Amino acid sequence: MSPSTDPAVPADPADGPAARIAAAYAFTGPALDLGALLWDGACLPDRQIRVPLSMLNRHGLVAGATGTGKTKTLQLIAEQLSAHGVPVFLADIKGDVSGISAPGTETDKVRARAADVAQDWQPAGCPSEFYSLGGLGTGIPLRATVTAFGSVLMSKVLQLNQTQEQSLGLIFHYADSKGLELIDLKDLRAVVAFLVSDQGRPELKGIGGLSTVTAGVILRALTAFEQQGAGAFFGEPEFDTGEFLRTAADGRGLVSVLELPAVQDRPQLFSTFLMWLLADLYTDLPEVGDLDRPKLVFFFDEAHLLFNGASKAFLDSITQTVRLIRSKGIGVFFVTQTPKDVPADVLAQLGNRVQHALRAFTPDDAKALRATVKTFPNSPYDLEELLTQLGTGEAVITVLSENGAPTPVAATRLRAPRSLMGPLDAAALDRAVKASPLYSRYAEPVDRESAYEKISAEQAAAEAEAEAAAAAAEAEKQAKAAEKAARTAPKPDPSLAQQVVGSGLFRSLARSVGTQLGREISRSLFGTARRRR
């Protein structure tokens, strides 16, 4: 941790590099205390390294190899934000951040660290709420509707290509225009299936159509997604992300911990869901400009999982959200292993940097190390050497000063968190979850009428109408057939009596008999006598 070997650089005179570095961190306004300056192999407890509270909405990066102390740095920053009345959101992927709600334990290591950095260490927990994705795991269930999640994020989590992503966007547009609420995954599946059916296919002709092949890909991806347990994440009651902006009764900011161990083997799922939370906050919050402290700071752990395999549209969405959400008073910290895990356009938005040690065991590691060094301002440190020699809980830091200018690079021995550096036991965590006033509001899912029910009802009505029409057509067909048969049927042969009656001789005889009988009747009626012969 030595400075450069330039003989012109003094070891540490009053006006030397260490003094100039420390002076750059002597802010006048509220600030978080990160630790003490490291210079020439020594820790200088009177040279404190800090970050202005007002600059924490300019975003940040906490990076470093596994086991170098990234999680403890996240915990240190989060508990100080809470103490300053700033709410915090933490994604707890490994399940070891829940201890932030409980006071820490004073150990020999903690006492030694506190003495090294001139820290007045006192155990203290933070007011905390615990959440889970859709109720998988221990926590208040976080749910989102499919419509709120959006087609871009859904395409990312379903791993669709660009053409399929565009088709999914068309499906969302159709559902919105027809008032078909996409609440859960069965709603989306119903709309996709409907649009490639004989009844639904004409619906999209005017705006592009949906191929059967693409619909099949989307439906299979939805099935696989649901088999991962994703069905629990979509539905109602939809969580109001404004709940994350609350403070405790004593004025401290609430720390919202999203417990993710139950889904840590599904990185695309939880990383995309976390991105939805951020995007939803951006949509709902008003513009506030520069504040003296953030309204919320969002820590995005294992950030590389968010960007792996992301489409250009998704990366554009992230970049735009990170760039613009600052004006809503929201700070975002990405926590990952190396800066190269974060796209350059996003990295350029991160004004505060805490870089823990990196390893250089392989050629790829060495390349990543050199790339990391290039992302820092010029420094009197030999950063390429320093970054491989930092111990656990030590980091290279540069932040934005109160006037927005980057501070000089400072090697720092970080303070120890005051809260418990480990997980809560399961029983205490369960009690904390159920004691929350939010638990009764969000615990039980609600399934109201939406696209699936509406399409099912319409299809049932259409099928009943089609069956009735088919039955009527068949009855009409049978009636016409019977009528035709009646017209064309041959007449039966007359009987013997009919033949006799119908013969000419019989008719002549009948006329003769009739005439004679008529005469006899007339005579009897009018009293005329028969002619004598």
Side-chain angles (χ1 to χ4, degrees):
M1 298 174 209
S2 59
S4 67
T5 56
D6 184 351
V9 177
D12 188 19
D15 61 348
R20 291 197 295 271
I21 291 171
Y25 289 86
F27 308 118
T28 58
L32 308 187
D33 295 309
L34 300 180
L37 181 69
L38 290 170
W39 183 261
D40 199 19
C43 182
L44 309 177
D46 59 334
R47 306 281 170 88
Q48 292 291 308
I49 303 303
R50 312 166 77 213
V51 56
L53 188 60
S54 61
M55 289 293 112
L56 287 173
N57 68 336
R58 304 297 180 93
H59 314 316
L61 175 72
V62 178
T66 301
T68 56
K70 297 189 301 294
T71 301
K72 301 302 181 286
T73 298
L74 178 158
Q75 195 169 339
L76 171 68
I77 296 174
E79 64 186 23
Q80 289 192 66
L81 283 167
S82 174
H84 280 87
V86 177
V88 175
F89 180 93
L90 299 177
D92 186 11
I93 292 175
K94 299 184 289 293
D96 55 2
V97 185
S98 58
I100 197 169
S101 65
T105 302
E106 187 173 6
T107 64
D108 291 342
K109 287 185 177 180
V110 169
R111 282 192 292 269
R113 177 56 61 95
D116 281 349
V117 300
Q119 178 185 8
D120 179 17
W121 191 90
Q122 297 293 332
C126 300
S128 304
E129 296 273 17
F130 298 94
Y131 300 92
S132 63
L133 289 185
L136 292 184
T138 304
I140 299 163
L142 295 184
R143 299 185 186 89
T145 64
V146 171
T147 295
F149 202 73
S151 62
V152 173
L153 289 177
M154 185 64 74
S155 298
K156 154 71 173 169
V157 82
L158 296 181
Q159 303 181 58
L160 303 182
N161 63 29
Q162 184 177 5
T163 300
Q164 295 155 358
E165 182 176 333
Q166 291 170 348
S167 295
L168 188 62
L170 192 64
I171 293 165
F172 272 67
H173 171 75
Y174 170 80
D176 183 60
S177 65
K178 296 296 183 179
L180 298 172
E181 296 91 346
L182 301 178
I183 292 176
D184 50 27
L185 292 182
K186 73 177 184 297
D187 291 323
L188 180 56
R189 189 186 299 107
V191 174
V192 174
F194 170 74
L195 290 175
V196 291
S197 67
D198 292 338
Q199 182 183 355
R201 193 174 290 112
E203 295 284 331
L204 290 182
K205 279 188 175 180
I207 52 176
L210 175 66
S211 75
T212 304
V213 173
T214 298
V217 171
I218 294 172
L219 289 173
R220 287 193 295 274
L222 282 172
T223 299
F225 188 37
E226 202 160 17
Q227 287 174 345
Q228 295 181 18
F233 308 149
F234 295 95
E236 290 182 322
E238 184 173 30
F239 188 77
D240 179 4
T241 53
E243 305 282 9
F244 297 141
L245 303 176
R246 294 176 298 138
T247 56
D250 61 4
R252 289 183 295 167
L254 274 177
V255 178
S256 299
V257 182
L258 178 59
E259 291 290 315
L260 293 169
V263 294
Q264 62 179 316
D265 58 338
R266 287 161 270 180
Q268 286 187 315
L269 175 62
F270 68 70
S271 63
T272 307
F273 199 90
L274 291 176
M275 195 60 210
W276 167 78
L277 293 178
L278 194 59
D280 192 68
L281 284 167
Y282 170 75
T283 302
D284 290 347
L285 293 176
E287 295 280 340
V288 294
D290 291 324
L291 301 173
D292 61 351
R293 66 191 62 207
K295 297 178 71 173
L296 173 71
V297 177
F298 192 104
F299 288 88
F300 210 134
D301 201 2
E302 302 293 339
H304 63 281
L305 300 174
L306 174 66
F307 303 108
N308 287 348
S311 67
K312 183 178 184 302
F314 183 72
L315 291 177
D316 289 345
S317 175
I318 294 175
T319 304
Q320 182 182 31
T321 300
V322 171
R323 180 184 298 118
L324 299 179
I325 203 169
R326 179 189 68 80
S327 63
K328 305 295 184 84
I330 305 296
V332 182
F333 273 70
F334 293 98
V335 184
T336 188
Q337 295 192 4
T338 72
K340 70 181 183 64
D341 293 333
V342 181
D345 288 345
V346 176
L347 191 62
Q349 308 298 319
L350 311 181
N352 304 294
R353 300 275 300 278
V354 180
Q355 177 66 58
H356 287 267
L358 292 175
R359 308 305 181 209
F361 298 142
T362 68
D364 285 344
D365 290 342
K367 184 178 179 181
L369 174 61
R370 289 191 294 271
T372 299
V373 170
K374 291 178 181 178
T375 65
F376 283 92
N378 290 333
S379 168
Y381 294 99
D382 182 348
L383 290 179
E384 193 166 336
E385 178 185 0
L386 176 59
L387 285 174
T388 62
Q389 296 179 354
L390 291 170
T392 301
E394 297 176 346
V396 169
I397 293 175
T398 179
V399 301
L400 293 180
S401 67
E402 291 168 309
N403 60 9
T407 58
V409 174
T412 307
R413 182 164 294 165
L414 296 164
R415 293 185 168 213
R418 299 170 62 194
S419 53
L420 181 65
M421 290 185 279
L424 285 180
D425 66 79
L429 182 60
D430 186 64
R431 286 194 300 270
V433 170
K434 292 181 178 176
S436 169
L438 301 182
Y439 184 77
S440 60
R441 189 180 309 169
Y442 294 106
E444 292 300 321
V446 176
D447 188 12
R448 64 182 175 90
E449 184 185 57
S450 50
Y452 172 80
E453 288 79 12
K454 291 179 180 178
I455 289 175
S456 296
E458 289 179 3
Q459 288 179 332
E463 289 174 3
E465 185 178 347
E467 289 177 1
E474 181 63 24
E476 183 179 0
K477 179 180 177 181
Q478 291 179 358
K480 288 181 178 180
E483 183 181 352
K484 181 178 179 181
R487 289 198 305 267
T488 59
K491 293 182 179 180
D493 294 334
S495 63
L496 180 61
Q498 289 173 327
Q499 292 179 12
V500 170
V501 172
S503 66
L505 178 63
F506 182 82
R507 288 196 298 271
S508 174
L509 178 61
R511 282 196 300 272
S512 174
V513 172
T515 300
Q516 184 65 29
L517 179 60
R519 287 174 181 163
E520 291 298 325
I521 292 172
S522 296
R523 290 191 187 103
S524 64
L525 290 174
F526 298 106
T528 55
R530 180 181 297 180
R531 287 182 183 180
R532 296 178 182 275
R533 296 190 180 270

